Amino acid sequence: MVCPLRLGWCLLICPLWLVHGLLICTLRLVHLWTIYLLWRSPHSQIISTPVLIIALLYTLGQSNIYDNNDKYIAGSPHPDFTYGINSSLTFKDFEFSFFLYGSQGNDVYNVTETANYDMGMGLNLRREVFNSHWSSTNTAEQNLMAKYPRPAANHNIKHSDRFVEDGSYLRLKNIMLGYNLPVKKWNVKNWLSAIKVYVSAQNLFTITGYSGMDPEVNSWGGDTNAGLDYLTYPNVKTITFGVKVQF
């Protein structure tokens, strides 16, 4: 099972671990530094000493134990709205049609991305893992901007809100351009009424900020598993050339 699930108000509810580790340590250091700057500030009289002491004790007293109290509900697979545009145009013997479809406001839990942190099973990983990981040979700036940690057999990755992504998208589902040959001018008998030559494309392009293969996913089907992307095969992009003959 990917993560604990329960259904409520027709929404996918997935308790996730809060992002912690280095981020939490960094935030605490920033917090302490801010308190120090406030204390040294010439305007520190505006902030009473007890307030600074309480803030300092709160920062130092934060627990490093992460349990169910650190979980919260993140994201929803259900869009705020979906929309589409369908149009058909004709000009003399030419025909043109297209269908645009979009989804706005839904979230996708990128389970596939978690596999990029599991480097101990000899699995194929994305090229991005090789090009953007922490290394002792990198510069400090490169390691700071690295997306993935140092390659290791076990990173003990927990399910986290860092894998929840905006799944909004706009997709060109279908587009077609056709030409009707002037068969009536060919002086043929009644056995041939029309010939249309056409080219069409399905899923020609998708505009999205989702980092996975395809934002239009539902790995296990059903409403309770909506929005989970785990090695989901993307919608296929196809281009078709054809001839339609009517007798």
Side-chain angles (χ1 to χ4, degrees), residues 118-146:
D118 190 356
M119 306 174 185
M121 298 181 62
L123 302 176
N124 287 327
L125 302 177
R126 296 176 59 183
R127 182 180 303 175
E128 187 179 16
V129 180
F130 177 79
N131 292 332
S132 181
H133 70 268
W134 190 97
S135 174
S136 59
T137 60
N138 289 346
T139 63
E141 183 178 0
Q142 288 174 328
N143 282 332
L144 181 63
M145 301 302 295

Short mmCIF file of all heavy atoms in Angstrom, two decimals, residues 118-146:
data_model
loop_
_atom_site.label_atom_id
_atom_site.label_comp_id
_atom_site.label_asym_id
_atom_site.label_seq_id
_atom_site.Cartn_x
_atom_site.Cartn_y
_atom_site.Cartn_z
N ASP A 118 15.35 5.46 -4.24
CA ASP A 118 15.67 4.10 -3.85
C ASP A 118 16.74 3.58 -4.80
O ASP A 118 16.45 3.05 -5.86
CB ASP A 118 14.42 3.22 -3.90
CG ASP A 118 14.66 1.86 -3.26
OD1 ASP A 118 15.80 1.60 -2.85
OD2 ASP A 118 13.71 1.07 -3.17
N MET A 119 18.00 3.72 -4.42
CA MET A 119 19.12 3.42 -5.31
C MET A 119 19.78 2.09 -4.97
O MET A 119 20.86 1.79 -5.47
CB MET A 119 20.16 4.55 -5.25
CG MET A 119 19.57 5.92 -5.53
SD MET A 119 20.77 7.26 -5.31
CE MET A 119 19.73 8.69 -5.57
N GLY A 120 19.15 1.29 -4.13
CA GLY A 120 19.80 0.06 -3.69
C GLY A 120 19.30 -1.20 -4.35
O GLY A 120 19.73 -2.30 -4.02
N MET A 121 18.38 -1.08 -5.31
CA MET A 121 17.80 -2.27 -5.93
C MET A 121 18.26 -2.47 -7.37
O MET A 121 17.78 -3.36 -8.06
CB MET A 121 16.27 -2.18 -5.89
CG MET A 121 15.69 -2.13 -4.49
SD MET A 121 13.88 -2.04 -4.47
CE MET A 121 13.47 -3.60 -5.28
N GLY A 122 19.18 -1.64 -7.83
CA GLY A 122 19.68 -1.79 -9.19
C GLY A 122 18.67 -1.40 -10.26
O GLY A 122 18.74 -1.88 -11.39
N LEU A 123 17.72 -0.53 -9.91
CA LEU A 123 16.70 -0.12 -10.86
C LEU A 123 17.20 1.03 -11.73
O LEU A 123 18.10 1.78 -11.34
CB LEU A 123 15.43 0.32 -10.12
CG LEU A 123 14.78 -0.71 -9.19
CD1 LEU A 123 13.59 -0.08 -8.47
CD2 LEU A 123 14.33 -1.93 -9.99
N ASN A 124 16.60 1.15 -12.91
CA ASN A 124 16.89 2.29 -13.75
C ASN A 124 16.29 3.55 -13.14
O ASN A 124 15.15 3.52 -12.65
CB ASN A 124 16.32 2.09 -15.15
CG ASN A 124 17.11 1.07 -15.95
OD1 ASN A 124 18.31 0.95 -15.78
ND2 ASN A 124 16.43 0.33 -16.81
N LEU A 125 17.05 4.62 -13.14
CA LEU A 125 16.59 5.89 -12.62
C LEU A 125 16.59 6.93 -13.72
O LEU A 125 17.22 6.75 -14.78
CB LEU A 125 17.47 6.35 -11.45
CG LEU A 125 17.58 5.38 -10.26
CD1 LEU A 125 18.54 5.94 -9.23
CD2 LEU A 125 16.21 5.13 -9.64
N ARG A 126 15.91 8.02 -13.46
CA ARG A 126 15.86 9.09 -14.45
C ARG A 126 17.23 9.74 -14.61
O ARG A 126 18.05 9.77 -13.68
CB ARG A 126 14.84 10.14 -14.02
CG ARG A 126 13.41 9.62 -13.97
CD ARG A 126 12.45 10.67 -13.46
NE ARG A 126 12.45 11.86 -14.31
CZ ARG A 126 11.74 12.95 -14.05
NH1 ARG A 126 11.00 13.00 -12.96
NH2 ARG A 126 11.78 13.98 -14.85
N ARG A 127 17.47 10.27 -15.77
CA ARG A 127 18.75 10.94 -16.06
C ARG A 127 18.97 12.11 -15.13
O ARG A 127 20.11 12.44 -14.78
CB ARG A 127 18.74 11.41 -17.52
CG ARG A 127 20.03 12.09 -17.96
CD ARG A 127 19.94 12.53 -19.42
NE ARG A 127 19.64 11.41 -20.30
CZ ARG A 127 19.41 11.55 -21.61
NH1 ARG A 127 19.43 12.76 -22.15
NH2 ARG A 127 19.14 10.49 -22.35
N GLU A 128 17.89 12.72 -14.68
CA GLU A 128 17.99 13.87 -13.79
C GLU A 128 18.66 13.49 -12.47
O GLU A 128 19.33 14.32 -11.85
CB GLU A 128 16.59 14.44 -13.53
CG GLU A 128 16.58 15.73 -12.75
CD GLU A 128 15.17 16.25 -12.54
OE1 GLU A 128 14.22 15.46 -12.73
OE2 GLU A 128 15.02 17.43 -12.18
N VAL A 129 18.49 12.24 -12.02
CA VAL A 129 19.13 11.80 -10.78
C VAL A 129 20.65 11.82 -10.94
O VAL A 129 21.38 12.21 -10.02
CB VAL A 129 18.66 10.38 -10.41
CG1 VAL A 129 19.32 9.90 -9.13
CG2 VAL A 129 17.14 10.34 -10.26
N PHE A 130 21.13 11.42 -12.10
CA PHE A 130 22.58 11.43 -12.36
C PHE A 130 23.11 12.85 -12.51
O PHE A 130 24.21 13.16 -12.04
CB PHE A 130 22.88 10.61 -13.61
CG PHE A 130 24.32 10.61 -14.01
CD1 PHE A 130 25.25 9.80 -13.36
CD2 PHE A 130 24.77 11.42 -15.04
CE1 PHE A 130 26.58 9.81 -13.72
CE2 PHE A 130 26.11 11.44 -15.41
CZ PHE A 130 27.01 10.63 -14.75
N ASN A 131 22.34 13.70 -13.15
CA ASN A 131 22.82 15.06 -13.44
C ASN A 131 22.66 16.02 -12.27
O ASN A 131 23.30 17.07 -12.25
CB ASN A 131 22.09 15.61 -14.66
CG ASN A 131 22.44 14.88 -15.94
OD1 ASN A 131 23.54 14.35 -16.07
ND2 ASN A 131 21.51 14.83 -16.88
N SER A 132 21.80 15.69 -11.31
CA SER A 132 21.52 16.64 -10.22
C SER A 132 21.45 15.92 -8.89
O SER A 132 20.39 15.78 -8.29
CB SER A 132 20.21 17.38 -10.50
OG SER A 132 19.93 18.31 -9.47
N HIS A 133 22.59 15.43 -8.40
CA HIS A 133 22.65 14.81 -7.08
C HIS A 133 23.87 15.34 -6.32
O HIS A 133 24.81 15.84 -6.91
CB HIS A 133 22.71 13.27 -7.18
CG HIS A 133 24.01 12.75 -7.73
ND1 HIS A 133 24.19 12.51 -9.08
CD2 HIS A 133 25.19 12.43 -7.13
CE1 HIS A 133 25.43 12.06 -9.29
NE2 HIS A 133 26.05 12.01 -8.12
N TRP A 134 23.81 15.24 -4.99
CA TRP A 134 24.90 15.71 -4.15
C TRP A 134 26.13 14.85 -4.37
O TRP A 134 26.07 13.63 -4.48
CB TRP A 134 24.49 15.65 -2.69
CG TRP A 134 25.45 16.35 -1.77
CD1 TRP A 134 25.34 17.61 -1.29
CD2 TRP A 134 26.66 15.81 -1.22
NE1 TRP A 134 26.41 17.91 -0.48
CE2 TRP A 134 27.25 16.81 -0.42
CE3 TRP A 134 27.32 14.57 -1.35
CZ2 TRP A 134 28.44 16.62 0.26
CZ3 TRP A 134 28.51 14.39 -0.68
CH2 TRP A 134 29.06 15.40 0.13
N SER A 135 27.29 15.50 -4.46
CA SER A 135 28.54 14.78 -4.67
C SER A 135 29.68 15.56 -4.02
O SER A 135 29.67 16.80 -3.98
CB SER A 135 28.82 14.58 -6.16
OG SER A 135 30.10 14.01 -6.37
N SER A 136 30.67 14.82 -3.52
CA SER A 136 31.82 15.47 -2.90
C SER A 136 32.68 16.19 -3.92
O SER A 136 33.50 17.04 -3.56
CB SER A 136 32.67 14.42 -2.16
OG SER A 136 33.10 13.40 -3.06
N THR A 137 32.50 15.87 -5.20
CA THR A 137 33.28 16.53 -6.26
C THR A 137 32.58 17.78 -6.79
O THR A 137 33.15 18.50 -7.60
CB THR A 137 33.53 15.55 -7.41
OG1 THR A 137 32.27 15.10 -7.94
CG2 THR A 137 34.33 14.35 -6.93
N ASN A 138 31.34 18.02 -6.36
CA ASN A 138 30.62 19.21 -6.81
C ASN A 138 31.11 20.45 -6.07
O ASN A 138 31.72 20.35 -5.00
CB ASN A 138 29.12 19.05 -6.57
CG ASN A 138 28.49 18.05 -7.51
OD1 ASN A 138 29.07 17.65 -8.52
ND2 ASN A 138 27.27 17.63 -7.19
N THR A 139 30.81 21.59 -6.64
CA THR A 139 31.03 22.84 -5.93
C THR A 139 29.93 23.01 -4.88
O THR A 139 28.91 22.31 -4.90
CB THR A 139 31.02 24.02 -6.90
OG1 THR A 139 29.70 24.12 -7.50
CG2 THR A 139 32.06 23.83 -8.00
N ALA A 140 30.14 23.94 -3.96
CA ALA A 140 29.14 24.18 -2.93
C ALA A 140 27.82 24.62 -3.55
O ALA A 140 26.74 24.23 -3.09
CB ALA A 140 29.66 25.23 -1.95
N GLU A 141 27.90 25.42 -4.59
CA GLU A 141 26.68 25.90 -5.25
C GLU A 141 25.94 24.75 -5.93
O GLU A 141 24.71 24.66 -5.89
CB GLU A 141 27.02 26.97 -6.27
CG GLU A 141 25.80 27.57 -6.97
CD GLU A 141 26.17 28.66 -7.95
OE1 GLU A 141 27.38 28.95 -8.08
OE2 GLU A 141 25.27 29.22 -8.58
N GLN A 142 26.69 23.83 -6.57
CA GLN A 142 26.06 22.69 -7.22
C GLN A 142 25.36 21.79 -6.21
O GLN A 142 24.24 21.32 -6.46
CB GLN A 142 27.11 21.89 -8.00
CG GLN A 142 27.61 22.58 -9.26
CD GLN A 142 28.74 21.81 -9.92
OE1 GLN A 142 29.55 21.16 -9.25
NE2 GLN A 142 28.81 21.89 -11.23
N ASN A 143 26.00 21.56 -5.06
CA ASN A 143 25.36 20.73 -4.04
C ASN A 143 24.15 21.43 -3.43
O ASN A 143 23.18 20.76 -3.04
CB ASN A 143 26.36 20.37 -2.95
CG ASN A 143 27.30 19.24 -3.38
OD1 ASN A 143 26.94 18.40 -4.20
ND2 ASN A 143 28.50 19.24 -2.84
N LEU A 144 24.21 22.73 -3.34
CA LEU A 144 23.08 23.47 -2.79
C LEU A 144 21.87 23.36 -3.70
O LEU A 144 20.73 23.27 -3.23
CB LEU A 144 23.47 24.93 -2.59
CG LEU A 144 22.39 25.86 -2.00
CD1 LEU A 144 22.02 25.40 -0.59
CD2 LEU A 144 22.86 27.30 -2.00
N MET A 145 22.10 23.35 -5.02
CA MET A 145 21.01 23.30 -5.99
C MET A 145 20.66 21.88 -6.40
O MET A 145 19.73 21.68 -7.18
CB MET A 145 21.40 24.10 -7.23
CG MET A 145 21.71 25.56 -6.97
SD MET A 145 20.31 26.43 -6.20
CE MET A 145 19.10 26.34 -7.52
N ALA A 146 21.38 20.88 -5.89
CA ALA A 146 21.12 19.49 -6.28
C ALA A 146 19.72 19.08 -5.82
O ALA A 146 19.31 19.35 -4.69
CB ALA A 146 22.17 18.57 -5.67
#
